[in-house]
C-alpha cells in the first residue's frame, strides 16, 4: 500500500465507512445483475430482451438528468445516498418475494430494471460528490484510487458469488443482496455532515451548469465522450449469458466468473495506479488503453475457451480502468464542490450511456447479425473511435499532465 493509502486508512475513519458502503452497494447490485440477466434469458431465451433490460435501466439517467445532480447539490448527500440504497434494497426484497411465489415475468423484470436504474441515477452523482466532502485535498487522489478499488473488488467477488448462489435458486441471491443494501445505508448515515448545500435558486441556468462545465473544456469533453462511445460500441456485458450458456457451454457459475473477470483486471490496474499514478503522457496513455480495450473485445468475441475468454476480459478491464481514472481526475478535481452533483450527473449520463446503451446495442446487433459478429463489430468500432478522436481532440491526444489549475475558468461557467 502507498504512503497516501496508509494515511487515508489510518486517520480517516469516515472514508473507511464510505469505502465499505460502496463495497456493499456495488456487491448487491452486481449480484442482482447476474441473477436478473440469467433469469431473463431463462424465461425468454431472447438476446434482445437482455439488451432491453440495459436500455430500460439507463432510461432514468436521461429522464431525471437535470434533477439528480441538483438533488445531490441541494440536499444532504449522505441521506440522499442512503435513500437510494434503501430503494435498491426494496427492489431486491421484491425480487425475493416474487421469486418465492413464482411471480417473476418478463414485464416484471423490465419494471424492476427501471426502478433499479432510477435509484442508481440519483445515487451515482451523490456518492461521487460526497467523496471530496470527507477526504482532505492532499489525500484525494489516493481516495479516488481506493474508491475505485472498492468497486472493482465488489465486482470481482459479487458476480461469482451471485452465480454460485443462483445455482441453489434465485432467492439465494436476492436475500443476501437485500441485507447488503441495509448495511450500506447504515454506514452511509454514519458519515459526518460536512457539505455546504447549494443555496442558489433552481433555474434553467443552474440545472444546465453541469453540461456547460464539461462542454467548456475540450480535453474533459473529449475524454468522457471517447470513453462513452468506445464502451458503447465495444461493451458485451449483456451478451455474457449467451456466451456462458451457448458458446462456452458453462452454467451460472461460469457467467459469474465472466462478469468478474473485467473487474479483476480493473482492480489490479487500480492498485498499480494508486502506487504509480499517471503523471506524464496522459493523452497517449489513455488513447492506447482505449485501443487495447478494442483488441481485447475482439479476442473475447473469437474465443471458444472459458479460460481464454477470462484472460481477454481481464485485459479489457485493466485497459478500461486507465481511461476511467483519467476521466475521474479531470472531472472531480477540477469541479467546485457546489456543483459537483450536477457535473457528476452529466458524467454519470456518459457512463450510463456507455454501459446500459452498450448493453442494448449489443443485444440489438446480436439479434441482427449473431452474437459473435456483434462483439467483433464492437471491438473494431472501439479501435476506429481511437483514431477518430485523435483527429477531433488533438490537444487531448498530446496531453502530457493529468490536471491543470482551472479555478478561474470554473467560476465562469457557474
Amino acid at each position: 500500500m502507498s504512503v497516501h493509502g496508509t494515511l487515508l486508512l489510518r486517520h480517516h475513519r469516515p472514508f473507511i465507512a464510505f469505502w465499505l458502503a460502496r463495497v456493499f452497494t456495488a456487491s448487491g447490485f452486481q449480484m442482482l445483475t447476474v441473477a436478473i440477466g440469467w433469469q431473463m434469458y431463462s424465461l425468454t431465451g431472447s438476446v434482445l430482451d437482455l439488451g432491453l433490460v440495459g436500455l430500460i435501466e439507463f432510461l432514468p439517467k436521461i429522464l431525471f438528468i437535470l434533477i439528480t445532480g441538483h438533488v445531490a447539490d441541494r440536499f444532504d448527500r449522505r441521506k440522499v445516498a442512503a435513500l437510494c440504497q434503501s430503494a435498491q434494497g426494496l427492489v431486491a426484497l421484491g425480487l425475493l418475494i416474487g421469486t418465492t411465489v413464482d411471480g417473476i415475468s418478463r414485464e416484471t423484470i423490465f419494471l424492476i430494471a427501471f426502478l433499479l436504474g432510477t435509484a442508481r441515477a440519483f445515487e451515482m452523482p451523490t456518492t461521487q460528490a460526497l467523496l471530496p466532502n470527507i477526504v482532505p485535498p492532499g489525500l484525494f487522489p489516493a481516495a479516488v484510487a481506493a474508491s475505485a478499488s472498492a468497486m472493482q473488488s465488489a465486482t470481482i467477488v459479487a458476480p461469482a458469488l451471485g452465480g454460485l448462489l443462483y445455482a441453489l435458486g434465485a432467492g439465494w441471491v436476492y436475500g443476501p443482496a437485500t441485507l447488503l443494501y441495509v448495511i450500506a445505508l447504515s454506514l452511509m448515515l454514519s458519515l459526518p455532515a460536512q457539505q455546504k448545500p447549494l443555496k442558489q435558486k433552481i433555474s434553467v441556468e443552474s440545472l444546465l451548469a453541469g453540461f456547460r462545465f464539461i462542454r467548456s473544456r475540450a480535453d474533459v469533453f473529449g475524454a468522457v465522450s471517447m470513453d462513452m462511445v468506445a464502451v458503447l460500441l465495444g461493451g458485451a456485458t449483456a451478451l455474457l449469458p449467451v456466451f456462458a450458456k451457448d458458446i462456452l457451454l458453462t452454467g451460472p457459475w461460469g457467467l459469474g466468473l465472466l462478469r468478474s473477470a473485467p473487474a479483476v483486471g480493473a482492480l489490479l490496474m487500480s492498485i498499480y495506479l494508486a502506487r504509480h499514478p499517471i503523471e506524464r503522457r496522459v493523452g497517449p496513455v489513455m488513447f492506447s488503453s482505449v485501443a487495447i480495450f478494442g483488441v481485447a473485445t475482439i479476442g473475447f468475441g473469437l474465443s471458444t475457451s472459458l479460460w481464454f475468454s477470462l484472460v481477454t476480459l481481464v485485459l479489457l478491464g485493466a485497459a478500461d480502468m486507465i481511461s476511467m481514472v483519467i476521466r475521474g481526475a479531470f472531472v472531480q478535481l477540477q469541479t467546485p464542490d457546489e456543483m459537483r452533483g450536477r457535473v457528476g450527473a452529466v458524467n454519470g449520463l456518459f457512463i450510463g450511456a456507455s454501459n446500459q446503451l452498450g448493453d442494448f446495442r449489443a443485444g440489438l446487433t446480436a439479434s441482427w447479425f449473431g452474437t459473435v459478429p456483434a462483439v467483433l463489430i464492437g471491438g473494431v468500432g472501439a479501435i476506429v473511435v481511437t483514431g477518430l478522436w485523435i483527429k477531433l481532440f488533438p490537444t487531448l491526444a498530446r496531453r502530457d499532465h493529468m490536471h491543470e489549475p482551472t479555478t478561474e475558468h470554473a467560476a465562469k461557467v457557474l
Side-chain angles (χ1 to χ4, degrees):
M1 180 179 293
S2 66
V3 174
H4 288 303
T6 302
L7 290 173
L8 188 64
L9 295 177
R10 182 179 299 172
H11 298 295
H12 296 280
R13 292 182 180 179
F15 175 75
I16 297 176
F18 175 86
W19 189 88
L20 290 173
R22 295 278 282 169
V23 168
F24 291 133
T25 301
S27 296
F29 175 70
Q30 291 297 329
M31 291 173 67
L32 289 182
T33 300
V34 169
I36 290 173
W38 192 270
Q39 200 164 13
M40 174 63 89
Y41 193 57
S42 297
L43 282 172
T44 69
S46 170
V47 293
L48 182 58
D49 282 345
L50 292 175
L52 285 173
V53 169
L55 176 63
I56 291 172
E57 187 181 325
F58 172 69
L59 283 179
K61 287 188 173 68
I62 299 177
L63 295 176
F64 307 125
I65 178 64
L66 297 181
I67 304 175
T68 55
H70 213 87
V71 167
D73 287 336
R74 180 167 289 274
F75 300 103
D76 189 329
R77 290 166 182 161
R78 303 168 306 148
K79 295 179 180 179
V80 174
L83 182 62
C84 295
Q85 290 155 0
S86 64
Q88 293 172 75
L90 289 174
V91 166
L93 181 60
L95 284 166
L96 174 61
I97 296 173
T99 300
T100 302
V101 300
D102 197 24
I104 299 296
S105 64
R106 174 177 178 267
E107 290 71 24
T108 302
I109 292 178
F110 286 151
L111 175 60
I112 288 296
F114 182 81
L115 296 175
L116 195 61
T118 299
R120 287 177 59 79
F122 282 88
E123 181 188 25
M124 177 175 285
T126 302
T127 53
Q128 286 182 347
L130 181 59
L131 181 58
N133 296 143
I134 61 176
V135 176
L139 294 179
F140 186 72
V144 172
S147 182
S149 70
M151 298 295 293
Q152 300 309 323
S153 298
T155 309
I156 292 168
V157 177
L161 178 60
L164 290 172
L165 291 175
Y166 193 93
L168 301 175
W172 286 86
V173 180
Y174 300 136
T178 303
L179 180 60
L180 288 173
Y181 282 118
V182 172
I183 297 173
L185 71 91
S186 300
L187 289 167
M188 193 62 67
L189 290 175
S190 72
L191 297 176
Q194 297 180 351
Q195 173 190 357
K196 296 180 180 179
L198 178 69
K199 296 182 180 180
Q200 179 184 3
K201 292 183 179 180
I202 298 178
S203 64
V204 174
E205 183 178 358
S206 68
L207 291 173
L208 294 177
F211 288 98
R212 294 172 58 205
F213 182 87
I214 290 180
R215 188 64 186 91
S216 67
R217 286 166 169 73
D219 286 358
V220 173
F221 180 68
V224 297
S225 61
M226 180 174 68
D227 183 82
M228 179 192 73
V229 177
V231 177
L232 173 64
L233 295 175
T237 303
L239 301 179
L240 291 183
V242 185
F243 274 90
K245 188 174 183 179
D246 299 338
I247 297 176
L248 303 176
L249 305 179
T250 184
W253 67 273
L255 173 60
L257 290 176
L258 290 173
R259 287 196 63 92
S260 298
V264 172
L267 175 62
L268 294 175
M269 182 56 67
S270 67
I271 293 173
Y272 176 83
L273 292 177
R275 297 181 63 88
H276 306 281
I278 302 173
E279 297 178 349
R280 301 297 302 272
R281 295 181 54 79
V282 169
V285 169
M286 185 176 67
F287 278 87
S288 298
S289 70
V290 175
I292 293 172
F293 175 88
V295 172
T297 301
I298 294 173
F300 173 75
L302 294 173
S303 174
T304 56
S305 163
L306 175 62
W307 300 111
F308 184 75
S309 296
L310 292 174
V311 170
T312 59
L313 290 175
V314 167
L315 179 61
L316 180 151
D320 189 46
M321 174 55 68
I322 295 174
S323 63
M324 189 186 82
V325 167
I326 294 175
R327 182 182 68 244
F330 281 169
V331 175
Q332 294 191 53
L333 292 178
Q334 298 186 29
T335 305
D337 182 62
E338 62 271 16
M339 62 179 297
R340 279 196 174 107
R342 286 165 289 169
V343 172
V346 178
N347 189 39
L349 179 65
F350 279 92
I351 296 172
S354 63
N355 293 327
Q356 275 76 51
L357 283 186
D359 286 347
F360 177 69
R361 190 281 314 166
L364 185 63
T365 53
S367 68
W368 288 346
F369 308 114
T371 302
V372 172
V375 174
L376 297 181
I377 291 171
V380 172
I383 296 174
V384 171
V385 165
T386 304
L388 181 60
W389 255 243
I390 290 176
K391 297 291 185 181
L392 293 176
F393 300 93
T395 59
L396 176 62
R398 297 191 302 266
R399 190 181 182 102
D400 189 35
H401 295 283
M402 178 69 76
H403 21 258
E404 301 171 350
T406 56
T407 304
E408 180 180 352
H409 186 70
K412 295 179 181 179
V413 299
L414 283 170

